[in-house]
Amino acid sequence: MDTARRSARDWLADYDARLTRAAEGAEAASAGLREVGGTASSPRGEVTVSVGASGALEDLRLTPAARALEADALARLILNTARQAQHAVGTQVIDIMTRYLGDGPALDMVKANLPEVAK
């Protein structure tokens, strides 16, 4: 019986240690994700876009040179620049979650829920 108790205590201590490591890893991942963001500028600098962790637009800056562009060209430039910023965010999210989850089904689920431009 003494060996069984020791074995159960060892198992419980090991389980508790794994839970503690998992909680610490989750907190580290959460802290890293709170810091995620991306900024990109168009090749000639007319447009600069910043996005948050979700890829949502947070800031858009246009230089005077942007006024020289046709409306459709400016719209395409803004969208392309936003996609570049979103890609940067997706890369950061994947890096953080890879450190936390490792390769496997959970990471695949994270990747599947990122915008297409980030994968």
Side-chain angles (χ1 to χ4, degrees):
M1 182 80 155
D2 189 35
T3 303
R5 279 190 195 151
R6 193 173 319 124
S7 179
R9 269 191 303 233
D10 291 346
W11 180 88
L12 191 55
D14 182 56
Y15 185 71
D16 186 52
R18 284 187 288 156
L19 287 177
T20 299
R21 284 191 305 272
E24 290 168 351
E27 180 54 38
S30 179
L33 290 172
R34 283 192 296 272
E35 300 297 317
V36 169
T39 299
S41 295
S42 60
R44 292 188 308 267
E46 306 96 333
V47 174
T48 299
V49 173
S50 295
V51 298
S54 68
L57 187 67
E58 291 187 345
D59 191 33
L60 171 64
R61 297 187 186 264
L62 304 174
T63 66
R67 284 187 246 161
L69 298 171
E70 294 290 329
D72 288 344
L74 180 57
R76 280 191 305 276
L77 191 59
I78 291 169
L79 289 174
N80 288 337
T81 306
R83 286 184 188 108
Q84 291 171 3
Q86 290 166 337
H87 179 66
V89 165
T91 299
Q92 292 170 47
V93 168
I94 290 170
D95 183 52
I96 290 166
M97 295 310 291
T98 299
R99 287 192 306 258
Y100 174 59
L101 299 171
D103 285 327
L107 182 62
D108 292 341
M109 181 169 291
V110 169
K111 290 177 179 179
N113 287 290
L114 289 173
E116 189 62 36
V117 296
K119 295 178 188 175

